[in-house]
Amino acid sequence: MIPHVLPTYNRAPLAFERGEGAWAITADGTRYLDLGAGIAVNLLGHAHPDLVAALTEQAGRIWHVSNLYQIPEQERLADLLVEATFADTVFFTNSGTEAAELAIKMVRKHWDHAGDPDRIEILTFEGAFHGRSTGAIAAAGSEKMVKGFGPLMPGFRTLPWGDHAALDAAVSDRTAAILVEPVQGEGGIRPLPDACLKGLREICDRAGALLVLDEVQCGMGRTGRLFAHEYAGIAPDIMMVAKGIGGGFPLGAVLATEAAAAGMVAGSHGSTYGGNPLACAVGARVMQIVADDAFLAEVNRKAALFRQKLEGLIAAHPAVFEGVRGQGLMLGLKCRVAPTDMVRAGYDQQILTVPAADNMLRLLPPLNIDDAEIAEAVARLDRAAASLAA
Ligand SMILES: *Cc1c(COP(=O)(O)O)cnc(C)c1O
C-alpha cells in the first residue's frame, strides 16, 4: 500500500525535534552536527534568535494579505536586495523552482516585448539543476529528472560543461539567454572559473542575449561573497535566489535589471503567497546580517580554516577521499566511495552531510558555524571515514 506521504524521497531514518545553531536534535536528545543546513537553506543555523524574533513579531501582526495589497515588508526586502546587487527590481516567490519558472518567462517576455518573439532558445549546461517544474526540468535536461515526464518544454539546449567550442557553435541570433549556476550545487559543487563566467558575459553581450544566473544554492553569502558572480566582476541580467534567503522560511526571488524585465507589467506574472509578510520579515533580517562585509570576511576566514582541516582529512583517508572543491562554505569532498555510504557513516557519528552528483559529499554548514564546530565536524568526518575504510 502506498504510504500516506507520496514516496518520492529516500529519507534517512532520522527525525529532528529542535535545533540550536549548527545542531539538529532528535526527540531523545541526540545532537547531530548539521553540515547540510537543510540543503544550504538554514544560512544562520537553527533557531537564530534574531530570525525567531523577526518571524514571531511578524506572526503576531499579520501573516498573509496577498499581492492585491501593498506589502511594506516586501518593499523593504526588495530595497535591501536592490541596494546590495546589480538589480533594479525584484519579484518574490516561495521557492527556487518558482524563481526558475519566472526567470524563463521573463526571458521569453523580454524578447517578445523587444519585437523578436522567435528568439526563444535558452542555453544551459550539463549537470545543471534549476528545480522540478516542467520548465526547470527542461532547462536541466538530466535524464533522471525528465524520464517519463515528456514531452519537454521546447526552447532549451543543454551544452557540455567546459566545452568552449560547443558553446561558440551554439550561440546564434536565436539565443535568448544563457542560464548557468556560478557554482553547480546538485551537479557536484562545480565552480565555474571566473574567466568562464566573464566569457559568458562577453558572449551574451556580443550575441545580445541575456545572462541568467541561478544563485539559488551558491548565493546569499554561501561562497564568501554576497553573490558568487561578484568574484568574476560581472553582473547578470537576471538572477534567481532562494534557499538561504529565507534562513529556513520558504522564500525565493528573481532579481533583474530594468532592461531585462521590460515587458513585465501588471498581470504578466503573479503568486498568491509569493513575498508574503512572514517570509519577507525573515528575509530582511537575513539580508541585514549577511550583506555585511565583516560577516562575509568571517565566512571566508572560517572557509579557509575548514579547507585546511579538510586537506588533512583527505591526506589521512586517501582510500575514501580524492580531494576538496568549492568556494567559501559551499564545499564538496570528492569521494572514492559512494557518497551516500559516507553520508550514512556520518549519521553513525552524528554528523549530517548531503550527497551530490560526481561522487561529491556536500558540506554546507550554516555560515555562522564557529571554529570549534568546524574542528568537531572534521573529527566526526574522520571517524566516519575510518569506519568505512575498516
Ligand atoms: C535547490 C535549487 C533549485 C530549486 O529550488 P527549490 O526551492 O527546491 O524549488 C534551483 N536551482 C538551484 C541551483 C538549486 O540548488
Side-chain angles (χ1 to χ4, degrees), residues 128-143:
F129 181 78
H130 302 296
R132 299 288 199 152
S133 63
T134 49
I137 62 173
S142 108
E143 184 61 23

Side-chain angles (χ1 to χ4, degrees), residues 40-363:
V41 166
N42 303 311
L43 207 63
L44 299 169
H46 298 281
H48 188 289
D50 290 6
L51 301 193
V52 172
L55 183 66
T56 52
E57 276 165 24
Q58 186 60 47
R61 281 198 293 270
I62 196 160
W63 292 16
H64 176 79
V65 295
S66 89
N67 291 295
L68 293 173
Y69 310 104
Q70 314 287 319
I71 301 181
E73 297 78 15
Q74 197 180 111
E75 287 168 27
R76 197 156 141 263
L77 178 54
D79 290 346
L80 291 170
L81 287 165
V82 166
E83 236 168 73
T85 67
F86 72 96
D88 301 315
T89 189
V90 184
F91 182 95
F92 292 104
T93 68
N94 310 287
S95 69
T97 297
E98 289 166 83
E101 233 11 73
L102 171 56
I104 293 164
K105 285 179 69 177
M106 193 183 277
V107 166
R108 291 192 170 180
K109 190 68 153 190
H110 175 91
W111 290 113
D112 183 78
H113 181 78
D116 202 352
D118 293 332
R119 193 160 179 148
I120 50 119
E121 194 163 70
I122 299 179
L123 303 179
T124 65
F125 296 90
E126 263 172 14
F129 181 78
H130 302 296
R132 299 288 199 152
S133 63
T134 49
I137 62 173
S142 108
E143 184 61 23
K144 174 181 103 178
M145 268 189 293
V146 302
K147 198 164 181 288
F149 295 118
L152 290 181
M153 189 203 278
F156 296 92
R157 189 150 151 203
T158 309
L159 301 172
W161 180 261
D163 185 338
H164 294 209
L167 175 62
D168 282 336
V171 175
S172 73
D173 59 4
R174 278 177 44 88
T175 306
I178 295 178
L179 166 57
V180 69
E181 295 155 85
V183 185
Q184 280 191 352
E186 305 304 309
I189 312 289
R190 286 205 289 186
L192 193 65
D194 290 347
C196 293
L197 198 45
K198 273 200 193 96
L200 288 181
R201 177 72 270 177
E202 281 161 21
I203 288 170
C204 284
D205 289 345
R206 231 179 302 132
L210 299 171
L211 179 62
V212 183
L213 296 182
D214 182 346
E215 293 228 18
V216 167
Q217 191 160 153
C218 63
M220 289 305 296
R222 174 66 46 197
T223 65
R225 298 290 286 264
L226 187 57
F227 290 102
H229 68 266
E230 295 171 19
Y231 281 108
I234 59 108
D237 301 293
I238 297 171
M239 177 169 73
M240 292 127 70
V241 180
K243 292 204 164 92
I245 190 174
F249 199 92
L251 176 62
V254 174
L255 281 63
T257 63
E258 186 169 7
M264 301 299 295
V265 295
S268 296
H269 193 63
S271 167
T272 300
Y273 287 125
N276 91 5
L278 284 176
C280 289
V282 180
R285 197 72 194 93
V286 170
M287 267 299 284
Q288 283 170 345
I289 295 171
V290 174
D292 173 78
D293 289 342
F295 181 89
L296 293 171
E298 263 299 282
V299 171
N300 283 305
R301 186 191 61 76
K302 285 182 283 201
L305 172 77
F306 200 0
R307 245 190 130 106
Q308 181 198 353
K309 289 184 184 296
L310 290 174
E311 293 290 357
L313 176 78
I314 295 158
H317 300 281
V320 179
F321 303 119
E322 198 177 313
V324 56
R325 72 181 182 224
Q327 202 159 30
L329 289 174
M330 184 173 185
L331 293 168
L333 279 171
K334 177 119 173 162
C335 296
R336 293 190 200 277
V337 297
T340 45
D341 288 348
M342 191 54 208
V343 170
R344 269 193 296 271
Y347 295 149
D348 294 336
Q349 305 302 329
Q350 284 82 49
I351 184 166
L352 308 179
T353 57
V354 189
D358 200 26
N359 252 35
M360 273 288 164
L361 184 75
R362 268 182 289 177
L363 308 175

